[in-house]
């Protein structure tokens, strides 16, 4: 029987700095959201206290912002201010708007831009208390609020101007690499396969079909399946009906001992294939298929390509050209 492997990471995160002098935070780089959300100094909940909080009062470059539709207008002392309420990691939270310098990367090659952000004023113990990271930096091409909240948008207006391109490489040992402003060609074992985004506001592409053991299964229909390429998703997600269809075709036994066929996501005519070991995780407790079902929300895409897919395929996100590129990771 196959031996259990070391547990795979359920979340990848890295460091950014905010403010002057820089304050360091661990964040998930999330392609399905478009804003920076961090615990703020006014949050006194236990979950905030156990993480790094953005201490606005310690930054000489921070600007307090009253309203999302006035993203560069400083808040005067006596002014009213809006409170941002949002669903964050499945929980309802609220925070205040601020604006400051945000930098990604090591000192020598770091990329910086000034953006608006949300500093949380409350966080529930579940799920935030146990998280290994402080917040989320959204890398979607747009934000639900004004464009000034969007890091990629700010790159295009930064000095020096940076390309709105980044890449994600998840290494076999559990580490990863985010490259901003371009990508490292040596991370790709083959030429990139490019897929156009379905719209300019998100990293959703069209998957033509899903193939099982090399044969197209006809699961996506003539129009294909809309798929979100999601650097914050720990699994591959599909609708309940599609998940049931896939599991029946894969015929995985309870102990995951019998070989199961390859799954391929057909993108721009190219089969992007996962072996059984790419989509099944084994440990001392048994085995799990790393494919789950999405919430049946109307806006949910048919597919979410999360970590099991991104460990196998190096991904380049090009907002300037409206496309996502994939290649087997080297």
């Amino acid at each position: 029987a196959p031996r259990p492997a070391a547990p795979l990471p359920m979340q990848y995160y890295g460091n950014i700095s905010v403010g002057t002098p820089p304050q360091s935070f661990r964040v998930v780089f999330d392609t399905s959201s478009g804003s920076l959300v961090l615990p703020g100094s006014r949050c006194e909940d236990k979950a905030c206290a156990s993480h790094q909080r953005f201490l606005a009062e310690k930054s000489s470059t921070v600007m307090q912002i009253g309203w999302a539709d006035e993203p560069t207008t400083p808040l005067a002392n006596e002014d009213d201010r809006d409170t941002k309420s949002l669903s964050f990691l499945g929980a309802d939270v609220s925070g205040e708007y601020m604006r400051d310098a945000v930098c990604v990367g090591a000192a020598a090659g770091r990329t910086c831009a000034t953006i608006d952000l949300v500093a949380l004023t409350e966080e529930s113990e579940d799920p935030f208390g146990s998280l290994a990271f402080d917040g989320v930096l959204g890398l979607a091409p747009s934000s639900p609020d004004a464009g000034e909240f969007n890091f990629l948008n700010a790159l295009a207006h930064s000095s020096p101007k940076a390309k709105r391109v980044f890449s994600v490489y998840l290494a076999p040992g559990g580490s990863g690499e985010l490259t901003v402003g371009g990508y490292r060609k040596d991370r790709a074992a083959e030429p990139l396969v490019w897929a156009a985004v379905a719209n300019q506001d998100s990293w959703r592409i069209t998957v033509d079909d899903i193939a099982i053991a090399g044969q197209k299964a006809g699961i996506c229909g003539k129009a294909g399946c809309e798929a979100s390429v999601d650097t914050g998703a720990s699994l591959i997600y599909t609708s309940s009906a599609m998940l049931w269809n896939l599991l029946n075709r894969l015929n995985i036994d309870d102990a995951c001992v019998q070989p199961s066929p390859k799954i391929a996501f057909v993108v721009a005519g190219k089969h992007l294939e996962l072996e059984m070991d790419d989509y099944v995780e084994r440990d001392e407790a048994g085995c799990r298929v790393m494919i789950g079902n999405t919430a049946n929300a109307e806006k949910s895409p048919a597919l979410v390509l999360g970590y099991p897919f991104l460990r196998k395929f190096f991904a380049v996100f090009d907002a300037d050209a409206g496309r996502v590129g994939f290649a087997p990771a080297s």
Side-chain angles (χ1 to χ4, degrees), residues 90-213:
D92 293 329
V93 295
S94 60
E96 298 171 333
Y97 301 117
M98 299 178 191
R99 183 172 178 80
D100 212 336
V102 176
C103 295
V104 176
R110 68 180 185 168
T111 303
C112 300
T114 298
I115 59 171
D116 288 35
L117 60 101
V118 177
L120 297 179
T121 52
E122 59 178 16
E123 275 189 346
S124 56
E125 187 62 18
D126 180 29
F128 301 104
S130 60
L131 297 178
F133 54 91
D134 306 308
V136 170
L137 176 58
L139 292 178
S142 67
S143 294
D145 297 305
E148 284 80 1
F149 285 81
N150 189 263
F151 185 73
L152 288 184
N153 182 64
L155 287 183
H157 301 96
S158 62
S159 182
K161 183 178 176 180
K163 291 180 180 177
R164 294 191 305 150
V165 179
F166 64 94
S167 64
V168 173
Y169 171 79
L170 302 183
S175 62
E177 177 183 86
L178 173 77
T179 302
V180 177
Y183 63 94
R184 287 179 53 181
K185 292 182 179 177
D186 62 319
R187 291 302 191 196
E190 296 175 11
L192 289 161
V193 175
W194 291 101
V197 295
N199 60 67
Q200 297 299 317
D201 295 333
S202 71
W203 295 117
R204 293 188 181 187
I205 61 168
T206 299
V207 169
D208 304 330
D209 201 356
I210 297 174
I212 309 290

Side-chain angles (χ1 to χ4, degrees), residues 27 51 73 166 265 283 293 312:
V27 297
H51 289 89
T73 303
F166 64 94
F265 300 94
D283 59 21
N293 66 304
K312 186 75 177 278

Side-chain angles (χ1 to χ4, degrees), residues 37 67 78 155 165 244 255 312 319:
V37 181
W67 303 90
E78 301 302 319
L155 287 183
V165 179
W244 180 250
K312 186 75 177 278

Side-chain angles (χ1 to χ4, degrees), residues 31-33 139-142 194-207 225-230 267 294-295 297-305 317-318 322-324 326:
T31 51
S32 68
S33 63
L139 292 178
S142 67
W194 291 101
V197 295
N199 60 67
Q200 297 299 317
D201 295 333
S202 71
W203 295 117
R204 293 188 181 187
I205 61 168
T206 299
V207 169
C225 291
E226 189 176 63
S228 173
V229 188
D230 191 346
V267 175
T294 52
E298 287 182 19
K299 293 183 180 179
S300 292
L303 282 167
V304 175
L305 301 176
F317 300 80
D318 185 346
R323 61 184 187 169
V324 185
F326 304 102

